[in-house]
Amino acid sequence: GYYWNHASPAIACDITFPSGTATGSNMADNVVEADRTTLSSFIMMQTKDPDLALLMTAMEIACKGIARAVRKAGIAGLFGMAGTRNATGDQVKKLDLLSNLLVINALKKSRVCAVLVSEEEPEPILMPESDAGRFCVAFDPLDGSSNIDCNVSTGTIFSIFEKTSSGPPKRSDILRSGSDMVAAGYCMYGSATELVVTFRRGVERFILDPSLGEFIHIGSTMQIPRKGKKIYSCNEGNFTKWDTEIQEAVQNFKQPTNREKPYSLRYVGSMVSDVHRTMLYGGIFMYPADKKSRNGKLRILYEGFPMALLVEQAGGLATTGYFRGSVKRILDLTPNGIHERCPVILGCHRDVEPVLRRYEKRNSARKSKL
């Protein structure tokens, strides 16, 4: 076997590895020499679109910068509030501001963008016509930042549209149906930095390899398990404010009428983390409308749309629940404002369909009374 002694002023340990195990520098060499596909290579192979590759390279650069800032936040004095509020009324953290600048600057320098919409900016950023490219990008630069001080996973969420109008960029170029998106994704900053993205050809996963400084493709198309773990994810503190259908659905998850094992509650409070777990393990994520927030809390362009597209591309369902007089597919919405909100209910068919059936039952009852 291979014997390794590691000693430092603070740590001393002896580890014996089985014979033939790669160790130390050998392990690092194996990682470097592994035949892996980088994000840029993957995009060119899959889409053959150099402009989209440039855009994703810019997003990749921004995400690497944010990942580094998140990991050094405590050391660099980036914890805490910036003392301002953003365009949607949320308190802004120092890391929110830094992340916002990193994404905006990277996308501007790519010269393939026409319109940028950020959660942190009150108005869309319209590129000069001479510098404008083909794409319109909406993004939440640091989702879940309210939890950053306690070291909870955060992420960057984005949606990408292709500009279809002629002339200089304008606000209406991005106020489109979710079905018009050409790509969407999120980058999660947790135990690893992971980029999950769809180009409407399924959902792909990339992990940032620190030794290479590259996002590496780690597997085939991501699919929500058909019979995954029984998990429901929501802020149950809002239970009394929800409509009857959501209350009944949650109650049934906790106390199934068919005598099956009850569901487990898992709620991080960072949308990227909760949706990522739902896509990997199955279950349902819900942030429904309530009596206080009748339009929901999540923003359509850079939270609802990208997550809905990812979930649908992974074989799941994404709906608003009852919203503005009917139950709607999230991707069928067309926002009127860049920071407009909507309720979000998404996950595997097994768990979302019972919620939809409850709304159908209510609609049937209403029609019978008429």
Side-chain angles (χ1 to χ4, degrees):
Y2 185 95
Y3 183 77
W4 175 48
N5 177 269
H6 175 82
S8 74
I11 302 171
C13 58
D14 294 327
I15 303 174
T16 301
F17 293 102
S19 179
T21 302
T23 56
S25 62
N26 291 333
M27 280 194 255
D29 291 341
N30 287 341
V31 171
V32 172
E33 293 171 4
D35 182 16
R36 298 296 186 187
T37 303
T38 65
L39 175 63
S40 300
S41 298
F42 182 89
I43 296 169
M44 287 304 297
M45 287 188 295
Q46 291 291 314
T47 70
K48 296 179 173 58
D49 186 332
D51 286 348
L52 186 58
L54 283 171
L55 190 158
M56 288 304 303
T57 298
M59 187 61 71
E60 177 183 6
I61 291 169
C63 290
K64 290 176 187 175
I66 295 170
R68 183 174 183 273
V70 167
R71 297 196 187 287
K72 296 190 69 175
I75 300 170
L78 291 173
F79 284 154
M81 299 293 180
T84 59
R85 290 184 180 270
N86 63 18
T88 57
D90 299 328
Q91 287 190 323
V92 176
K93 295 281 188 101
K94 295 175 184 176
L95 272 173
D96 285 319
L97 297 180
L98 176 59
S99 302
N100 186 48
L101 289 174
L102 285 170
V103 178
I104 289 174
N105 289 340
L107 292 177
K108 279 184 174 180
K109 290 178 181 178
S110 73
R111 299 178 70 87
V112 294
C113 296
V115 181
L116 304 179
V117 167
S118 168
E119 181 190 23
E120 307 302 333
E121 301 291 332
E123 296 294 330
I125 299 171
L126 306 178
M127 298 294 110
E129 190 171 6
S130 58
D131 294 333
R134 291 167 45 205
F135 297 108
C136 305
V137 186
F139 54 91
D140 181 349
L142 196 61
D143 172 72
S145 60
S146 60
N147 293 321
I148 192 70
D149 293 2
C150 58
N151 206 22
V152 169
S153 295
T154 54
T156 299
I157 314 174
F158 58 91
S159 60
I160 302 171
F161 297 81
E162 188 163 5
K163 184 176 181 291
T164 56
S165 68
S166 57
K170 47 190 178 295
R171 179 188 295 257
S172 59
D173 288 327
I174 201 167
L175 294 177
R176 314 246 296 277
S177 166
S179 298
D180 291 341
M181 274 185 293
V182 297
Y186 59 80
C187 187
M188 187 171 74
Y189 313 112
S191 56
T193 299
E194 180 166 350
L195 180 66
V196 177
V197 64
T198 179
F199 303 103
R200 304 193 76 99
R201 295 175 176 85
V203 181
E204 307 295 339
R205 298 174 66 190
F206 300 83
I207 294 285
L208 180 61
D209 182 344
S211 65
L212 297 175
E214 293 280 359
F215 279 97
I216 304 299
H217 189 233
I218 63 167
S220 57
T221 300
M222 192 174 177
Q223 284 285 317
I224 297 177
R226 289 181 176 273
K227 295 182 179 180
K229 294 183 179 181
K230 294 186 174 182
I231 297 172
Y232 73 102
S233 180
C234 59
N235 182 357
E236 210 166 341
N238 293 327
F239 185 90
T240 59
K241 302 174 186 175
W242 292 334
D243 61 31
T244 303
E245 288 71 23
I246 296 295
Q247 289 179 340
E248 289 177 352
V250 169
Q251 195 62 34
N252 191 63
F253 290 140
K254 295 191 294 183
Q255 297 176 323
T257 55
N258 55 10
R259 297 184 179 180
E260 290 188 3
K261 184 179 178 181
Y263 280 50
S264 299
L265 171 63
R266 299 284 185 271
Y267 184 67
V268 177
S270 168
M271 189 185 190
V272 168
S273 299
D274 286 316
V275 173
H276 188 67
R277 182 196 56 248
T278 301
M279 292 180 65
L280 287 174
Y281 298 160
I284 185 171
F285 168 82
M286 299 185 290
Y287 210 120
D290 58 43
K291 294 175 182 176
K292 182 181 178 182
S293 303
R294 297 194 179 277
N295 291 327
K297 290 288 294 267
L298 300 174
R299 275 61 58 128
I300 296 175
L301 276 177
Y302 43 84
E303 290 172 325
F305 275 175
M307 292 308 196
L309 183 60
L310 286 161
V311 166
E312 286 197 3
Q313 287 288 310
L317 290 175
T319 176
T320 61
Y322 191 75
F323 178 52
R324 296 177 183 170
S326 65
V327 177
K328 298 175 174 64
R329 175 177 173 251
I330 291 175
L331 293 180
D332 288 339
L333 298 175
T334 301
N336 295 312
I338 61 172
H339 299 298
E340 195 170 317
R341 303 170 189 257
C342 75
V344 172
I345 301 169
L346 53 79
C348 66
H349 283 254
R350 179 197 65 196
D351 299 328
V352 176
E353 285 177 349
V355 179
L356 296 178
R357 285 196 292 269
R358 291 179 187 278
Y359 283 116
E360 290 171 5
K361 184 178 178 181
R362 178 171 78 168
N363 289 338
S364 299
R366 284 181 172 178
K367 288 178 182 178
S368 64
K369 290 180 181 179
L370 297 175

